[in-house]
Structures are given as structure tokens and as C-alpha cells.
Amino acid sequence: MSAYESASHYFQTAAGVMDLSPNMQKLLLTPEREVKVQVAMKMDNGDIATFVGFRMQHNSARGPMKGGLRFHHEVDADEVLALASLMTWKTAVVDIPYGGAKGGISVDPRSLSGNELELMTRKFVDELQDVIGPDKDIPAPDMGTNAQVMAWIVNQYEKFHGFNPAIVTGKPLELHGADGREEATGRGVGLLTEALLGKFDRTASESTIAIQGFGNVGSWAADYLHSAGARVVAISDISGAFYDSKGIHIPAAIAYVREHGTLKGFETEKMITNEELLELEVDVLIPAALGGVLTKENAGNVRASYIVEAANGPVDPEADDILQSKEIIVLPDILANAGGVTVSYFEWVQNQQYFKWDLDRTRNELSKKLTAAFDKMWSIATEKHISLRSAAYLIGIGRVGRATVLAGI
Amino acid sequence: MLPTELTTLQVFHGLDEPDAARICEGLLDREFSPGESVLTEGDDTQALWLILSGECIVSRNSEQGERILAVLNAGDVFGEMSFVRNAPHSASIIAATPLKVCCYKREEFLTFAAERPEAGYMIATNIACVLAERLRRMDTWVCDMFERPKTLDDSGSRDEWQNFRSAVYTNWDF
């Protein structure tokens, strides 16, 4: 099932609970603007290359649109649109004053030299600079883009519009980035995992955890939970999964990756496969790598009690039904990984105010935002006897709906 | 039509018998069967129509299709708008039952009014009263249209918006 199909399915489930008419669903799902541009450039070897770039601006009822830019060879209009609508619900769930957007270029960035990547980014900004802006649409890093790419975007945008650090978030610290932005998504996953366990009178220190994916999100989540006393028994990356029944020493694993660029060769009790990791008998399973890792084929084998969706869309709708029937609690992606966009918002606020926060303040505000969102989701789910996912979508759709009703069309 | 009958109609109310008799001479009797068209919206016949017996429907074409504005009976008049002002008919008239009407042409009235200005003034005032009454009804309609969205049982085009409003407000605490 594609990202687009999954997103529509979850939207429709929630819209059904709310009894929204088909026309109103259409109003909420149709993007405000779809931009598709040509990005043409001279390559290092003299060839002319032409790429296709997108920016899908889904909804601005609650504020300027916000969402990542991805450079990936599988970027296509449908997927970007689905992700843009997810951003609309996500920013509403954590109650930050943004709408939703997403964009990217269909290209494998590893096939480009550093110069080519920079040139392509700048050409893309030339095409988009009219439709983005600190009060219109604020891009951020995503798959295949990073703080360096954001720095190029700011620089190129400022050639047209003057000093404007708030045009993107996820910038380098030296160029108006925010302390705590890098750890934010993983930290949010950790905070929310603790909040979820707390609802069942459990603490992190008496829980076992398996994390699939040890990139930015997985490693920061592991670090947070390890510090909170949890026993992280399995971690993984593309080289395989690493298991230790006594718990993996996470700071050592992070140091190892920093040195070697991969977990390959890291020593633990035993190696298992990424598939086996998903089926471990642990308290919490955190898929933090790719979408669609839990499907109807393997959802029945999951033995964890709780799943925290750190990645976007790791559980497809069919697997979601199976997990629900097994009474496995799923903390949905639109809240679970919203720590990133929340601290992006803090970065934008600091840029708009020309005032830099210290790390403690960022962490504090992040915790307040995510806890409030979690509590609201939990109370609606228990009150209406619906899943956490439906509750989160309901809140997102409801808040966007209220803004739409108040403003009119 | 007898002059005494004529003066019972609002438009000719207050005329003395010789004047009423003079007007009766100028009336043309017409008959229509059910479903037959009497006047078509946009046509340009300048005459005042008096219903002697039967029933007819006043309708108008809109974007949503044919809209019925009113049903008229014996004693009612129609065509008065294009009678006083040289303009095409603003609505269509269709016979709903066997319909007997008589038609008073604008030229007849102009000739009559030139000879009998006092009686002509009386008829013109009566027509103004009919139009004023219609305008008053129109005001009520317009007010109703603006009031309607405030109620939930509105069956107009704003229904869906109201349902959406209650879907996001009434049942949930976000």
C-alpha cells in the first residue's frame, strides 16, 4: 500500500467517526497549491541534466505551511502530496500555528558531486522563491537533505528577499539554527514513550525496548531512553540488527557509529536480522527507519506490548487492524515523531524574534507541547473508545476544520 | 365581463359604471387548457391580464431550474409590470386548470386615460398598490433568506457548512 493510500485510509477512518460529508472531506484533502518545476543545470562533466522538483502546499488554514524537502529518486507527486497532508494534521495535533506542505526533487543525491548538489539546490530555490517564505511556506530537512542544504537555501532565498533566516528550519547552528533541533525527533519519541508507559503505571527503567533504525531519530531516541534507565535490547541499521539481553550500552554504540559511519562490527551478544528485531519479545518496539515495515504478513508475529511509530508510516492499515485485534497499543506517527517539527517551530520563533534560546528552554518547551498533545489524544481515545491513531487524526482534522469554519471559504 | 364585475377587481376598484363599461368593451376574452402557456418569460406583450376563472402558475427559470413563484386564482391580475413599463415579462404563466382570462392592452388604456384622466389616474394608483403589495412580500422573502442560515434545519445550500460546523464544534473538545 502506498503512502498516499495509507494516509487517505487513516483520514477517512477519522472523518467517518466525525461524520464529515464527502464534500467537506474533499475540501480538507484537496491541496491549496501544487507546484511542479523544472530544475535544469550543467553537470561537472558538461552534460545538461534536467530534474523535476515539487512543492505540494496542502493547507494553510492554521498558519504558514511547513514540511520537509526530500532529495530522493523515488519522489513522486502522489507521495509528496500524501506527506504534505500528514504535515497538516501533525502540526495541528501538536498545536503549533502551521499548515502542511512537502516537497522534493526526484534525484538520487548520492549520484551528485557536492558542487552539483549545491547548484541543484540553488536552482530549485530560484524556481520556488515566489511561493515559499517565512509567512507562507517554510521548508525543512528530510530524506536526502540536511543542515548544509538548508544553509544553501537560506543563502539563495536571501539573494531575492534580503535577510530571512526564518525561510527554512533545521539550519546549522552557525547560521541561526536552534540548539536541540538535531535531537528533537528522537527526544520526542523518548518523551512520548515514557508518557505512554506512564498511562499503564510503568516506567522506562523497568521496560525493554527494541529500536529498528539507528539514524538521527533512532539513535537519539535510544540515547534518551537509555538515560531514563530503559534496557534497549536491540538496535539495527542497514548492516543488520544487534541484540543484547542485558541491554546495549547506547553511548558506546553512538560513539561507534560516529567513528565508523555504521554499526557494522559493533560487538553485542548476538546478531539478528531486521525482520527478527520486529518480532522480539520486548515491552516497546520502535520502528525508526522506513515506512511499511509492519504489514499483514508479519504483524501477527509482533510480541511487543507497545509500538511507537518513530518513522513515517511504519505500520500499514492492514497491519494496524491486526495489531489492534491483538490489543497492541500503537502510538501513531503523526504525534510520535512530531518533536522535529515542534522544535522547527521553536527555531522559526527564535529567528522571527532575533532571540536565541538555550538548550534547557527548548527541551522544556518541547516536553510541554508533546505532553499536552499526548494527554489530549489519550483523553479523546478513552472517552470515545477509539484507537490512539484515530484520536490523533480527529484532533488534527478537527482543529483544521475549526480554523476553516471560523475563517470561511 | 359585466362592468359591475370589473369594479370588484382591485385594479379597477372605484371606477363609475360608464367608465367600467367603456373598459369592458376593450377587453379580449381568451381561454387556455391545463398546461398551456399563457405568457412566456422574456416575451413582449404589453397587456394587463385578468383571471375570470381557473388557476394558473407563475414560474421563472433560474440556475437550479424552473422555480414556482406563485399560484394565481380568479380575481387576480398578472402582466402589470410590463403593462406599466415597456419591458419583457419577468416570469412565465401556465394554466393549471381550464383557465378563462381577459386581456386589456396597453394602447387601449393609454387612449382611455387620455380621454378620462381621472379614471386613468385611479387605475394607475390601483396598479401601484398591487405592485407595492408585491414589493412588501419580496422584502419578507429577502429577510428570510438572510435569516435562514442561523437555523440548523435550513434545507438550502448552506446546510453542509452548518453540519460541518457542528461536526467540529458540538461533539468534540479539541
Side-chain angles (χ1 to χ4, degrees), chain A residues 98-124:
Chain A
Y98 285 144
K102 202 83 167 189
I105 299 179
S106 186
V107 61
D108 180 0
R110 288 169 305 182
S111 69
L112 301 176
S113 71
N115 282 336
E116 288 166 344
L117 185 63
E118 178 177 347
L119 186 57
M120 183 185 74
T121 304
R122 289 184 186 277
K123 295 288 284 187
F124 192 34

Side-chain angles (χ1 to χ4, degrees), chain A residues 35-40 50-54 72 75 104-107 124:
Chain A
V35 181
K36 183 177 178 183
V37 297
Q38 178 202 65
V39 184
T50 306
F51 304 106
V52 176
F54 298 96
H72 191 268
V75 162
I105 299 179
S106 186
V107 61
F124 192 34

Side-chain angles (χ1 to χ4, degrees), chain A residues 20-21 23-24 376 384 394 398-399 401-402 405-406, chain B residues 160-161 163-165 167-174:
Chain A
L20 298 186
S21 71
N23 287 337
M24 289 315 302
K376 177 57 79 181
K384 304 283 180 181
L394 268 170
R399 284 178 177 161
R402 284 187 173 188
V405 157
L406 288 171
Chain B
E160 195 157 20
W161 193 247
N163 289 341
F164 183 54
R165 184 185 287 270
V168 293
Y169 273 100
T170 316
N171 306 323
W172 305 94
D173 169 27
F174 296 122

